[in-house]
């Protein structure tokens, strides 16, 4: 049954059995690292790049709490 199949952490496509890439990555909503599954290495790189860009944007503007 395909109800409990893993989905890619970046593109949200279903991952075939034994073809996943498991990695501890930063999640924007949490502190620290969490394990996520990805369908391929390119989705893993794209996810890391997206998270890095979003954290850089927050650092540049100072976040919503630093506005005067």
């Amino acid at each position: 049954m395909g109800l409990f199949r893993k989905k890619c952490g970046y593109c949200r496509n279903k991952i075939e059995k034994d073809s996943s890439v498991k990695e501890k990555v930063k999640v924007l909503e949490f502190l620290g690292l969490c394990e996520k599954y990805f369908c391929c290495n390119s989705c893993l790189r794209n996810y890391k790049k997206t998270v890095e860009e979003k954290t850089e944007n927050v650092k540049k503007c100072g976040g919503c709490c630093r506005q005067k």
Side-chain angles (χ1 to χ4, degrees):
M1 193 174 217
L3 228 124
F4 300 108
R5 293 173 87 184
K6 296 176 195 158
K7 289 187 177 183
C8 179
Y10 184 71
C11 66
R12 304 302 298 161
N13 289 333
K14 289 182 181 178
I15 299 173
E16 295 298 323
K17 201 172 198 177
D18 298 330
S19 67
S20 66
V21 178
K22 182 177 164 184
E23 183 80 25
K24 284 191 174 186
V25 293
K26 180 176 169 84
V27 179
L28 291 175
E29 294 84 20
F30 301 112
L31 296 175
L33 303 175
C34 296
E35 284 187 351
K36 282 192 165 256
Y37 292 92
F38 299 93
C39 60
C40 59
N41 285 325
S42 65
C43 280
L44 174 62
R45 284 191 302 271
N46 290 337
Y47 179 83
K48 286 182 177 181
K49 183 179 176 184
T50 302
V51 168
E52 185 178 312
E53 288 173 355
K54 288 184 179 182
T55 55
E56 286 297 318
N57 288 341
V58 170
K59 288 178 184 177
K60 285 180 184 177
C61 73
C64 62
C65 299
R66 294 184 133 193
Q67 294 177 358
K68 294 181 181 177

